[in-house]
Amino acid sequence: MSLLSVRDLTVKFAMRDNTVTALNQISFDLAKGERLGIVGESGAGKSITGFSLMNLLSRPGYIDSGQILFGGQDITQLSEAEMRKIRGNRMAMIFQDPMVTLNPVLTIGQQMVETLRAHRSLSKAEAEQIAILKLREVYIPSPEERLNQYPHELSGGMRQRIIIAMALLLDPELIIADEPTTALDVTIQADIMELLLELCQSNKVGLILITHDLGVVSQMTERTLVMYAGRLIEAGPTREIINDPQHPYTQGLINALPQQTLPGQRLKQIPGNMPSLTAIPTGCPFSPRCEYAVDHCRKILPEIVRYGQVEVACHEVSRLQNTNFEEASA
Amino acid sequence: MLAYLVKRVFQAIAVMFAISLIGFAIQDNLGDPLRELVGQSVSEEVRQQLRDELGLNDSFMTQYIRFLGNVLQGDLGTSYFFKEPALDVILKKLPATLELVAGATLIIIGLSVPLGVYTAIKPNSVLSRIIMGLSIVGISIPVFLTAILMIFVFSVELGWFPSYGRGDVVHVFGYWETNFATADGWVHIMLPSVALASIMLPLFVRLIRAEMMEVLQSEYVKYARAKGIRPYRIYFVHALKNTLLPVITVGGVQIGTMVAYTILTETVFQWPGMGFMFLEAVNRVDTPLIVAYLIVVGFIFVVTNTIVDLIYGLVNPTVNLARMGA
């Protein structure tokens, strides 16, 4: 049985005049200990997916329909009090910017101890022992002293390590990491990712990694979801998606990577911008930016269809595969 | 820490210099001391002679330096009316005023935090709307009007509280008279304290609410939720502590302002404090007393602000007092 099973998840935002659909019928599964990447441009709905799983959408966002089965239980039906017992305990989250994630007026120790004591009946001393243990796991030097320090006394990389340690405090089954290195120095990014990967593997924790960095996804995850304008457009094993992307959008993302371009050449951009959620085009939402789009792409929304190991939402996939094949053989 | 303290004390001294200069300029320009000292029947020659003797013909700077020298020795001049040192007169009135301010401060602290937090957590509830509506009314009505209305309702119509004076006061530590030792004292201080608090309380409720709502939107509150922290801990530990930091700074200034607001409240309730005394001094053109009041109130202002800054440094871990002095 899979650890997490999301079925037709639809999230809406109630605006003043109308409601906007931010996530449109997203479905995916995550096995125990599996690592899944969610990629897409800004505004694709990656972070909203992450926060929906925690049932932490901030107003005016709400889950409109669909199921989130976590360990077989539909958590969209849980009360706030029941959901609180899952958050930070069985399902932990790592936020984007460690500089603003920790509370500036509470010490690291207070923030770690409170997390443990919110879920388990432990004495302060017992909780501190666990905290020290976890800080050691993320290679924080002299963890005993860190407990008495305030966040502002620590660097961004150190803070993100502490946040990873906090995510591991209660040995969760799933960690959702929302662009955990975007706010960090490039030199530290790789260290943090490596640490996260190592800890997920050794503790057999499931990971949902939300990022726009395909390079990171290819190193960190086993499976990948590609999102566009609140929809899932391609999903499958990470290796397949990186090596042989099917959807023109995924192809565009991979072609836009600097590694795909010779030095001195311009990067290959995808023309245009992601549509605003209030003005999603009819038919395939990517069609206005797609070089392969034909008439019915602009009229009919493509269903997500399985082709071998991957699922793709594109009318023209079969034709594209043929053209790619022809190009390769020519 | 010590360096920061020294720095703050120097700032305070600079402010006191400015206040003393303004005070002296008022004394120098307001009324003729000779008119107060001698009657109508003294000839102009004698007056000139007296002026020379008293040093009133010296230059402004010479007189100011002499004034400063006296002030530093605790001599703020002699009240024309009381024929006593002005500072003594004020110090006798000071306990009444400080107790009134303390009463109002207690009301403000005791009510503004729960009301501000409640209206921030439940901004759309009926009770929140009522509190916010009343707070606008409270801010809009001037203190003296609130005071008169309260006297009318609670003293005249209902007869629950006395309308004037301090009632039974008890001597503590030598000359300090306190309201807080007898039931009669408590009853007397109620209405004036509420009247004095009537403007600051709504201001603080709104301030705390606005700060709290902003803090509740912050990433660290969202993160605390993601950790599964219980709601009351999120509100009262994570959010409230961050909310109160800016409130403390504003609060310090407001306590100083309240000392000045006592002029109105004390006058309406015939409260024998220094605000009431000041108004009488103005009516009697008792210039030394007016100037002395100005300097004492300025001093209280400076002292409370310095203390508040120090408290802020102690409460906020990101302010390093030791480093700020350097």
Side-chain angles (χ1 to χ4, degrees):
Chain A
M1 191 188 66
S2 54
L3 171 66
L4 183 74
S5 180
V6 178
R7 288 285 161 265
D8 294 324
L9 180 64
T10 299
V11 168
K12 292 188 176 176
F13 278 74
M15 309 310 268
R16 205 166 292 165
D17 315 310
N18 55 335
T19 54
V20 172
T21 308
L23 284 189
N24 211 325
Q25 301 201 311
I26 303 285
S27 298
F28 64 91
D29 288 274
L30 185 83
K32 265 196 162 65
E34 190 182 22
R35 295 183 306 281
L36 175 79
I38 302 182
V39 292
E41 286 169 280
S42 307
K46 303 173 306 235
S47 294
I48 290 173
T49 309
F51 282 108
S52 319
L53 296 181
M54 295 286 272
N55 209 338
L56 268 181
L57 287 170
S58 37
R59 259 184 275 184
Y62 63 95
I63 294 174
D64 183 66
S65 58
Q67 290 182 314
I68 301 170
L69 299 167
F70 182 62
Q73 189 181 27
D74 185 2
I75 56 174
T76 61
Q77 301 302 319
L78 294 182
S79 71
E80 179 58 28
E82 289 168 318
M83 194 60 218
R84 185 192 69 71
K85 288 179 189 154
I86 293 179
R87 290 185 200 126
N89 186 12
R90 295 174 57 200
M91 200 194 272
M93 196 157 180
I94 296 169
F95 281 37
Q96 190 166 347
D97 186 355
M99 306 310 271
V100 295
T101 304
L102 295 168
N103 193 321
V105 299
L106 301 176
T107 62
I108 302 301
Q110 284 173 317
Q111 297 188 54
M112 294 188 87
V113 167
E114 68 169 6
T115 312
L116 280 161
R117 296 181 72 178
H119 301 290
R120 278 187 210 159
S121 47
L122 294 168
S123 73
K124 187 168 168 269
E126 287 167 334
E128 277 178 350
Q129 282 313 306
I130 298 175
I132 289 169
L133 223 64
K134 295 292 177 185
L135 286 176
R136 224 168 248 140
E137 271 184 50
V138 298
Y139 308 110
I140 295 282
S142 45
E144 293 85 355
E145 287 165 39
R146 304 293 163 218
L147 290 187
N148 294 321
Q149 282 182 313
Y150 287 95
H152 72 272
E153 297 173 74
L154 305 164
S155 70
M158 188 91 96
R159 286 190 221 183
Q160 198 64 311
R161 277 169 197 275
I162 287 169
I163 289 165
I164 292 174
M166 279 193 198
L168 292 167
L169 273 177
L170 288 129
D171 303 312
E173 295 151 70
L174 173 64
I175 291 179
I176 300 165
D178 184 5
E179 310 217 16
T181 57
T182 311
L184 296 175
D185 233 42
V186 187
T187 49
I188 300 164
Q189 288 185 3
D191 290 349
I192 295 285
M193 281 299 178
E194 209 171 294
L195 175 72
L196 194 57
L197 179 63
E198 179 196 318
L199 291 169
C200 284
Q201 282 174 328
S202 62
N203 294 308
K204 300 202 170 46
V205 187
L207 175 72
I208 291 180
L209 181 66
I210 295 163
T211 178
H212 54 257
D213 190 338
L214 282 163
V216 165
V217 164
S218 68
Q219 285 162 21
M220 297 280 293
T221 65
E222 296 150 309
R223 284 198 322 120
T224 299
L225 310 179
V226 183
M227 292 187 70
Y228 188 81
R231 287 178 185 278
L232 211 55
I233 56 154
E234 186 161 359
T238 303
R239 207 174 340 105
E240 296 285 319
I241 287 187
I242 301 287
N243 294 334
D244 185 20
Q246 300 299 310
H247 197 285
Y249 176 64
T250 318
Q251 292 172 1
L253 284 181
I254 288 167
N255 286 335
L257 288 175
Q259 297 93 308
Q260 301 290 321
T261 313
L262 293 171
Q265 275 188 322
R266 287 184 69 90
L267 294 175
K268 292 182 201 112
Q269 283 180 308
I270 305 174
N273 290 313
M274 167 102 58
S276 145
L277 290 175
T278 51
I280 293 176
T282 52
C284 172
F286 186 61
S287 59
R289 300 171 72 187
C290 180
E291 49 181 315
Y292 307 107
V294 290
D295 267 355
H296 68 269
C297 292
R298 300 187 186 94
K299 285 173 191 149
I300 304 155
L301 180 76
E303 295 281 316
I304 192 149
V305 182
R306 179 171 285 277
Y307 293 89
Q309 283 183 288
V310 292
E311 292 171 283
V312 190
C314 177
H315 292 303
E316 295 296 299
V317 169
S318 49
R319 188 167 67 89
L320 292 177
Q321 278 177 325
N322 290 336
T323 52
N324 282 348
F325 181 74
E326 278 160 27
E327 274 168 22
S329 60
Chain B
M1 179 72 193
L2 187 71
Y4 175 74
L5 241 164
V6 171
K7 198 171 135 192
R8 285 298 283 134
V9 168
F10 269 107
Q11 281 173 3
I13 290 172
V15 173
M16 286 313 297
F17 255 109
I19 292 171
S20 73
L21 192 61
I22 295 166
F24 179 71
I26 290 172
Q27 186 168 19
D28 196 47
N29 289 299
L30 196 75
D32 181 0
L34 274 231
R35 204 193 64 185
E36 311 293 335
L37 290 172
V38 299
Q40 300 265 318
S41 57
V42 178
S43 72
E44 186 57 33
E45 277 167 39
V46 182
R47 281 166 189 262
Q48 274 306 332
Q49 202 185 332
L50 266 169
R51 280 211 173 87
D52 277 337
E53 280 172 24
L54 290 169
L56 292 175
N57 288 333
D58 294 347
S59 73
F60 180 85
M61 273 321 284
T62 319
Q63 290 191 58
Y64 174 60
I65 287 164
R66 195 187 304 138
F67 169 79
L68 256 190
N70 290 339
V71 169
L72 287 179
Q73 291 165 45
D75 177 9
L76 293 176
T78 304
S79 163
Y80 297 146
F81 179 78
F82 293 100
K83 312 284 183 220
E84 273 180 68
L87 191 61
D88 290 359
V89 177
I90 289 175
L91 287 181
K92 256 182 244 165
K93 305 282 185 187
L94 189 64
T97 297
L98 289 186
E99 290 203 340
L100 180 57
V101 171
T105 308
L106 282 179
I107 292 171
I108 290 169
I109 293 173
L111 288 180
S112 66
V113 173
L115 292 181
V117 169
Y118 177 78
T119 51
I121 295 173
K122 298 216 181 301
N124 295 319
S125 80
V126 178
L127 188 57
S128 288
R129 284 165 202 269
I130 292 172
I131 294 168
M132 295 313 283
L134 284 178
S135 75
I136 284 283
V137 175
I139 289 175
S140 313
I141 302 178
V143 171
F144 63 86
L145 195 62
T146 317
I148 291 168
L149 282 174
M150 281 188 351
I151 290 178
F152 178 72
V153 175
F154 295 105
S155 307
V156 180
E157 292 294 318
L158 297 171
W160 292 351
F161 295 102
S163 64
Y164 65 89
R166 289 185 78 184
D168 275 347
V169 288
V170 174
H171 278 265
V172 282
F173 323 119
Y175 83 103
W176 190 290
E177 293 172 333
T178 181
N179 265 76
F180 297 119
T182 62
D184 191 52
W186 278 93
V187 169
H188 274 82
I189 203 168
M190 281 301 166
L191 287 189
S193 302
V194 173
L196 184 57
S198 68
I199 281 201
M200 296 294 173
L201 177 62
L203 208 70
F204 272 85
V205 171
R206 299 185 81 86
L207 180 69
I208 290 173
R209 175 184 128 103
E211 289 291 340
M212 182 94 171
M213 286 179 94
E214 205 182 306
V215 169
L216 287 177
Q217 294 297 316
S218 69
E219 282 291 298
Y220 54 80
V221 166
K222 210 171 181 182
Y223 181 61
R225 287 213 177 97
K227 291 195 299 178
I229 306 299
R230 286 182 180 83
Y232 74 84
R233 189 172 163 89
I234 292 180
Y235 292 135
F236 291 102
V237 178
H238 283 262
L240 188 59
K241 219 174 162 189
N242 285 287
T243 299
L244 290 183
L245 287 177
V247 175
I248 288 173
T249 322
V250 180
V253 180
Q254 298 303 339
I255 288 176
T257 313
M258 264 204 305
V259 175
Y261 265 114
T262 56
I263 295 177
L264 294 170
T265 317
E266 289 183 2
T267 308
V268 176
F269 288 100
Q270 302 284 298
W271 189 262
M274 57 182 197
F276 187 35
M277 176 218 77
F278 174 73
L279 216 66
E280 287 180 319
V282 170
N283 281 333
R284 294 172 187 138
V285 203
D286 196 342
T287 323
L289 200 53
I290 294 171
V291 173
Y293 173 81
L294 202 75
I295 288 173
V296 170
V297 170
F299 182 72
I300 293 172
F301 224 104
V302 167
V303 168
T304 46
N305 274 310
T306 309
I307 292 172
V308 164
D309 280 359
L310 289 174
I311 291 175
Y312 183 83
L314 293 177
V315 179
N316 187 355
T318 58
V319 176
N320 190 332
L321 290 183
R323 221 179 299 149
M324 276 177 72

